């Protein structure tokens, strides 16, 4: 059996950031200001600190303003909501991202609901969830939008293809299913109660795994030639004692013997998320400033 083509998300994300930078510079010339992304971090979770730092660096590298707001872990919810309201009203801020998870004394839904939907570049606000469901322009969560970009880059039209999405979370599985439906795929959403998951997956031309279980999807679940998108990021012990490594939700070694194309972990879906966040921020800037942008061109 021949080896699957590797879908290089790192390279695609680099290209996307390049297009964002180009359009960001045109935006600055036309609007007389830079596009801006505000990122709010509450507490000192090390993984969140790394994400926020990377988001800030990449935002600036693309020629946009990054506004970082770091709040202590014991900040009251009312103070966070007041900050979000301030950012909603700030014309220099086009996109607002509140890094999740929030400390347990805060209500995440309430915080997300306070973000102006037109600045909600993460696409988590119910207004944007509704817009996605009804086909209206809004903001789509970055990770699933990145997956669709990779799929279209690889396959062209997705129309008529059978897609199986494993996982039904609000941030990946559900929006992924909506996006694939909008691309005219026939979509099955599988989850922990799905009966005979391997058999369901075997029907798919496109498999999107967003489960959070290391290497769960095996090669003999995959239809020969299918395109496999592995969203999973799982840290597991490495062969070398005391070391760890990242693996996806798909058993890459066996699946790449059968699939037509597959995303690796790391280097597949992962790098797409921040690149799409920057793209969404630029789109928000154009919409907020009333400047027309061909959103399909980036
Ligand atoms: P989540 O909220 O925990 O959802 C996991 C989904 O998987 C649930 O719908 C669950 O079903 C389903 N599931 C669990 N065990 C299953 C099983 N044995 N068989 C079939 N389905 C099963 O996770 P998430 O936030 O969507 O994230 C999923 C993975 O993607 C994680 O590894 C995460 O780290 C990764 N991720 C990566 C990125 C990125 O690349 N930037 C972004 C987001 C997430 P039920 O609904 O029935 O419980």
């Amino acid at each position: 059996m021949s080896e699957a083509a590797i879908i290089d998300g790192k390279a695609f994300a680099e290209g996307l950031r390049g297009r964002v930078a180009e359009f960001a510079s045109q935006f600055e010339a036309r609007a007389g200001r830079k596009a801006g992304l505000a990122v709010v971090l509450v507490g000192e979770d090390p993984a969140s600190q790394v994400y926020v730092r990377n988001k800030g660096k990449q935002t600036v590298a693309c020629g946009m303003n990054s506004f970082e707001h770091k709040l202590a872990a014991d900040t009251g919810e009312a103070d966070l909501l007041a900050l979000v309201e301030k950012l909603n009203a700030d014309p220099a801020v086009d996109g607002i991202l509140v890094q999740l998870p929030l400390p347990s004394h805060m209500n995440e839904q309430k915080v997300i609901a306070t973000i102006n939907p037109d600045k909600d570049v993460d696409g988590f606000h119910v207004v944007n969830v509704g817009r996605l469901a009804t086909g209206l322009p809004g903001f789509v969560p970055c990770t699933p939008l990145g997956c669709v970009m990779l799929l279209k880059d690889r396959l062209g039209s997705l129309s008529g293809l059978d897609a199986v999405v494993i996982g039904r979370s609000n941030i990946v599985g559900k929006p992924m299913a909506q996006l694939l439906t909008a691309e005219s795929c026939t979509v099955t959403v599988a989850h922990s109660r799905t009966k005979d998951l391997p058999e369901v997956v075997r029907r798919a031309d496109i498999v999107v795994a967003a489960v959070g279980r290391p290497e769960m999807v095996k090669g003999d679940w995959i239809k020969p030639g299918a395109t496999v998108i592995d969203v999973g990021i799982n840290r597991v012990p490495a062969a070398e004692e005391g070391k760890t490594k990242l693996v996806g939700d798909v058993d890459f070694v066996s699946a790449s013997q059968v699939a037509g194309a597959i995303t690796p972990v790391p280097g597949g879906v992962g790098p797409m998320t921040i690149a799409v966040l920057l793209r969404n921020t630029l789109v928000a800037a154009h919409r907020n400033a009333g400047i027309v942008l061909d959103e399909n061109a980036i």
Side-chain angles (χ1 to χ4, degrees):
M1 197 81 67
S2 63
E3 286 272 326
I6 303 297
I7 299 175
D8 187 346
K10 199 167 165 228
F12 190 95
E14 201 179 310
L16 177 56
R17 286 196 304 272
R19 293 192 294 283
V20 169
E22 205 181 303
F23 283 98
S25 129
Q26 289 172 19
F27 175 83
E28 188 179 352
R30 291 170 75 182
R33 67 171 180 90
K34 287 186 186 209
L37 172 66
V39 180
V40 182
L41 173 64
V42 186
E44 273 150 26
D45 176 64
S48 294
Q49 283 180 329
V50 173
Y51 291 142
V52 167
R53 202 164 44 241
N54 285 341
K55 283 168 189 169
K57 269 195 209 155
Q58 293 191 29
T59 304
V60 171
C62 282
M64 302 194 283
N65 280 328
S66 165
F67 307 105
E68 278 181 33
H69 295 268
K70 293 188 177 156
L71 306 181
D74 61 357
T75 300
E77 187 185 83
D79 289 335
L80 174 60
L81 295 178
L83 172 61
V84 171
E85 293 285 14
K86 200 171 134 221
L87 297 172
N88 281 342
D90 186 343
V93 173
D94 296 296
I96 302 170
L97 181 151
V98 178
Q99 185 67 44
L100 303 179
L102 288 171
S104 56
H105 67 279
M106 291 182 173
N107 178 338
E108 284 186 358
Q109 280 312 318
K110 197 169 164 190
V111 174
I112 292 168
T114 306
I115 299 172
N116 175 348
D118 296 329
K119 294 190 177 189
D120 167 43
V121 284
D122 250 346
F124 294 163
H125 193 292
V126 285
V127 166
N128 283 317
V129 176
R131 286 168 171 166
L132 175 60
T134 52
L136 292 171
F139 292 105
V140 176
C142 303
T143 302
L145 183 54
C147 293
V148 171
M149 286 179 174
L150 292 177
L151 280 167
K152 287 172 77 173
D153 183 58
R154 172 78 204 164
L155 298 171
S157 169
L158 309 183
S159 180
L161 297 178
D162 285 321
V164 170
V165 179
I166 319 174
R168 55 176 165 178
S169 70
N170 288 336
I171 62 165
V172 189
K174 281 183 199 155
M176 189 72 223
Q178 302 266 13
L179 286 167
L180 291 170
T181 303
E183 293 295 332
S184 300
C185 291
T186 304
V187 183
T188 302
V189 181
H191 45 74
S192 66
R193 307 294 174 90
T194 297
K195 281 185 262 171
D196 201 355
L197 183 59
E199 201 45 48
V200 171
V201 174
R202 260 178 224 122
R203 295 201 292 263
D205 303 306
I206 293 170
V207 180
V208 180
V211 187
R213 290 184 176 252
E215 301 175 323
M216 184 186 83
V217 177
K218 306 298 179 198
D220 64 0
W221 300 19
I222 306 292
K223 174 164 138 181
T227 305
V228 178
I229 303 291
D230 189 351
V231 184
I233 301 179
N234 308 288
R235 192 162 282 286
V236 298
E240 201 181 331
E241 213 186 301
K243 298 260 165 138
T244 60
K245 60 174 182 171
L246 291 181
V247 297
D249 291 339
V250 177
D251 177 16
F252 184 85
V253 173
S254 63
S256 59
Q257 300 298 311
V258 189
I262 186 167
T263 56
V265 177
V269 174
M272 291 298 291
T273 301
I274 297 182
V276 175
L277 173 71
L278 303 176
R279 179 240 173 235
N280 282 357
T281 303
L282 188 70
V283 167
H286 282 79
R287 290 183 190 164
N288 294 341
I291 296 175
V292 177
L293 169 73
D294 177 4
E295 295 177 9
N296 293 320
I298 47 171

